[in-house]
Amino acid sequence: MDKSRRAGMKLPITSKMKYDFKYVKEGNKMTDTMKEIYEIFEEESKDVWIKEGRKEGAINILLTLVKDGIISIEEAAKRANISVSKFEKYLNEQK
């Protein structure tokens, strides 16, 4: 599909990005717009991964504290800012 035909289509950003990256992978050069989109996507992804990693790390520490009997499940769930039932699911997954 050529650019002029694709330009009028309303594709989600992910579909457009997949098409553009395939286009580049086939040996075509990345346009300035594609570079900008890639850089934005890369930065946003890093932020999400960092936040997710921190949350996961905090939950793992709280799981250890609960297993060692240092704090209660209720206190750990409160500190993780999640429900007690969700924290119990994490606890059961680690067994």
Side-chain angles (χ1 to χ4, degrees):
M1 180 181 302
D2 67 4
K3 282 188 177 183
S4 61
R5 186 167 175 217
R6 198 169 45 87
M9 298 175 69
K10 301 277 186 196
L11 299 173
I13 187 91
T14 54
S15 296
K16 181 182 180 325
M17 288 177 70
K18 286 178 186 177
Y19 177 85
D20 289 343
F21 289 130
K22 182 180 176 194
Y23 179 80
V24 171
K25 194 174 184 180
E26 292 171 352
N28 299 297
K29 292 189 177 183
M30 190 181 288
T31 65
D32 290 339
T33 303
M34 290 166 61
K35 287 177 187 176
E36 288 177 32
I37 291 171
Y38 178 79
E39 288 169 4
I40 291 168
F41 177 74
E42 187 177 42
E43 278 302 311
E44 288 177 359
S45 296
K46 283 180 187 177
D47 291 342
V48 170
W49 295 334
I50 289 169
K51 286 177 186 175
E52 299 258 336
R54 285 181 181 160
K55 182 177 180 181
E56 187 176 320
I59 289 173
N60 285 333
I61 290 169
L62 291 167
L63 288 168
T64 301
L65 293 173
V66 168
K67 286 180 184 178
D68 291 347
I70 297 170
I71 62 173
S72 68
I73 292 175
E74 292 79 14
E75 179 64 24
K78 180 180 171 186
R79 289 175 184 257
N81 201 23
I82 59 175
S83 68
V84 172
S85 62
K86 189 167 184 174
F87 191 86
E88 287 173 337
K89 286 181 185 178
Y90 284 117
L91 193 58
N92 292 331
E93 287 175 2
Q94 283 206 338
K95 289 183 179 181

